[in-house]
Amino acid sequence: MAEGISMSYPKSFLPWIVFAIVSTQTGRQWSALIGLVLAGGLLALGRGRGKGWDTLFIEVSATIFFAGLSIWAFSEPGSPARGYVGALTGLWLALTTWGSILARHPFTLGIAKTTVSLEIAATAGFRRVNLVLTTVWAASFTVADLAEAVLLHYAPHATAALVVLKVLGFAVPLSFTVRYPRAVRARAQKAV
């Protein structure tokens, strides 16, 4: 289960990752537009392959975010808030992941359901594992975003530190997503 799950996440977050990289080299207008094209493309590709909306939670969120960001970036190119766009992306991801928890449908659940049998997907333990996973993603985005906002305020040219924060914001929960289900499975097998 963990192997299939871990490969789905990088694809889902590709627009965010590419945006973070491209925005360091180009203006936010073009990086936002690239993010929108990637997000919309992944969403269309996923739907074309028959994926359900619950497995495309991050892609839908990314498409909405990058559409709004593109409109804002091109209509207000001189906005004083433009220096905080990186933190804004993290805030949106944090709100998206926390929102999925509040909506009682952790975003990891839809992706994880595609990697297990219907019997396993229907268990309370499976839901609990995905609630924990989504909470770790949400907490990671929140902490990384707050740290990035502070860094942008006090040291806006510390590009290396900003990149490290972005990488950690994704790497920590991805690593946890790979390891935690394995640990839960191992504990369950020992209990039998």
Side-chain angles (χ1 to χ4, degrees):
M1 176 174 78
E3 293 78 8
I5 291 173
S6 65
M7 293 313 297
S8 297
Y9 291 104
K11 285 184 253 175
S12 296
F13 290 111
L14 186 62
W16 305 95
I17 295 165
V18 170
F19 171 80
I21 295 167
V22 172
S23 66
T24 64
Q25 305 301 315
T26 67
R28 66 188 165 94
Q29 293 94 340
W30 299 109
S31 52
L33 198 55
I34 290 168
L36 175 59
V37 168
L38 284 172
L42 285 174
L43 182 57
L45 186 62
R47 290 299 292 163
R49 290 183 175 165
K51 287 187 175 183
W53 290 107
D54 63 336
T55 65
L56 298 167
F57 199 84
I58 295 298
E59 290 84 349
V60 169
S61 176
T63 302
I64 293 167
F65 176 79
F66 287 115
L69 183 60
S70 294
I71 292 167
W72 176 57
F74 281 101
S75 65
E76 298 285 336
S79 171
R82 69 183 178 272
Y84 292 92
V85 169
L88 183 61
T89 61
L91 174 63
W92 183 270
L93 279 169
L95 291 173
T96 297
T97 51
W98 287 118
S100 76
I101 292 169
L102 290 174
R104 301 179 63 115
H105 192 80
F107 89 89
T108 60
L109 191 61
I111 298 168
K113 281 182 178 180
T114 66
T115 65
V116 298
S117 69
L118 293 174
E119 293 79 27
I120 292 173
T123 66
F126 185 77
R127 283 194 64 79
R128 192 171 32 259
V129 164
N130 280 281
L131 177 60
V132 169
L133 292 175
T134 301
T135 301
V136 168
W137 281 92
S140 183
F141 290 146
T142 302
V143 169
D145 180 52
L146 291 174
E148 186 175 347
V150 169
L151 190 59
L152 283 168
H153 182 74
Y154 291 105
H157 301 293
T159 306
L162 290 168
V163 168
V164 167
L165 285 173
K166 280 290 185 205
V167 169
L168 288 174
F170 285 97
V172 169
L174 182 60
S175 176
F176 184 79
T177 298
V178 170
R179 289 186 170 100
Y180 182 67
R182 289 179 187 164
V184 169
R185 231 182 352 263
R187 277 196 310 262
Q189 287 172 347
K190 278 186 181 180
V192 173

